[in-house]
Each structure stands twice: as structure tokens, then as C-alpha cells.
Amino acid sequence: RYIVEQCFGTIKRLFRMERASYFGTTKVNAQVILKSICMNLKKAANKIFVDQPLRGAIRPNIT
């Protein structure tokens, strides 16, 4: 339950999903699907770039 609640909280906070922006089941369903795709892309980006340093990042001289 904790893992699922984290995803819902992140969607609510980052993608402003407190309330649906549209009326009608079809439009609300489309909105939820698009927000879910955004969340999955965010998760994938975090998994890809978590181990790689950013380009141009300042690194201290270790000498």
C-alpha cells in the first residue's frame, strides 16, 4: 500500500491532480491516462540518470 500511495501523492503534487479538469468520463479518463504516462516517464528518467553525473557538473579536484 505504501508504494502505491507514494505514486498517487507524487501525481497529486507534481502534476496537479487534486481534481479533474474536465467533465465527463471520457475526458477525465484521458486526463488520468496522460498523467500516468507522465509519471511513468518521470520514474524511467530517474532510473536512467540516477547513477550518471550531470554534464558540466562541478567536481572537486581529488589530488
Side-chain angles (χ1 to χ4, degrees), residues 23-53:
F23 292 109
T25 309
T26 307
K27 290 181 181 179
V28 172
N29 191 23
Q31 183 184 13
V32 170
I33 289 171
L34 289 172
K35 300 281 179 156
S36 299
I37 290 171
C38 291
M39 183 65 189
N40 287 335
L41 289 172
K42 180 188 173 304
K43 282 182 170 184
N46 284 338
K47 287 186 181 199
I48 291 170
F49 296 114
V50 73
D51 294 331
Q52 299 175 1

Side-chain angles (χ1 to χ4, degrees), residues 5-26:
E5 293 294 329
Q6 275 185 332
C7 292
F8 286 134
T10 304
I11 289 173
K12 184 177 175 182
R13 188 179 66 251
L14 292 180
F15 301 114
R16 291 185 253 165
M17 196 62 191
E18 291 90 18
R19 291 186 180 190
S21 301
Y22 304 103
F23 292 109
T25 309
T26 307

